[in-house]
């Protein structure tokens, strides 16, 4: 059970790091587009950033639920 929890934590950290990088890259793209006055590109970057933030939030919530289930399974044993 402990190994499963460690593997889950490791996998979640990797996935969340990817999501964090994506959010950072899209934020930078949004600021660059705004600085250059590219309204259409800024709008597209903002849309992509909103999707990435929602995906990141969903991923974090899913990870928390998985850990709670693993905790409950450990307590039951």
């Amino acid at each position: 059970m402990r190994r499963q929890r460690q593997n889950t934590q490791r996998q979640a950290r990797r996935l969340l790091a990817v999501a964090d990088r994506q959010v950072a890259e899209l934020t930078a793209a949004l600021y660059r587009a705004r600085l250059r006055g590219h309204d259409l590109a800024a709008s597209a970057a903002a849309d992509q950033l909103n999707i990435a933030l929602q995906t990141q939030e969903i991923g974090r919530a899913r990870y928390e639920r998985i850990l709670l289930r693993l905790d409950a399974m450990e307590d039951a044993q």
Side-chain angles (χ1 to χ4, degrees), residues 6-7 10-11 17 21 24 30 48 59 61 65 76:
Q6 290 172 338
N7 288 340
R10 193 175 308 115
Q11 183 179 13
R21 267 193 309 277
L30 173 61
Q48 289 178 335
R65 283 195 309 271

Side-chain angles (χ1 to χ4, degrees), residues 19-68:
D20 290 343
R21 267 193 309 277
Q22 184 180 25
V23 166
E25 289 170 5
L26 289 169
T27 301
L30 173 61
Y31 285 122
R32 279 193 307 270
R34 282 186 178 166
L35 286 173
R36 295 177 183 156
H38 299 289
D39 294 336
L40 187 58
S43 176
D47 290 343
Q48 289 178 335
L49 180 58
N50 284 330
I51 292 168
L53 287 169
Q54 290 171 1
T55 302
Q56 183 183 40
E57 186 177 326
I58 291 167
R60 288 188 198 284
R62 187 175 294 154
Y63 168 63
E64 290 297 322
R65 283 195 309 271
I66 290 170
L67 286 181
L68 287 174

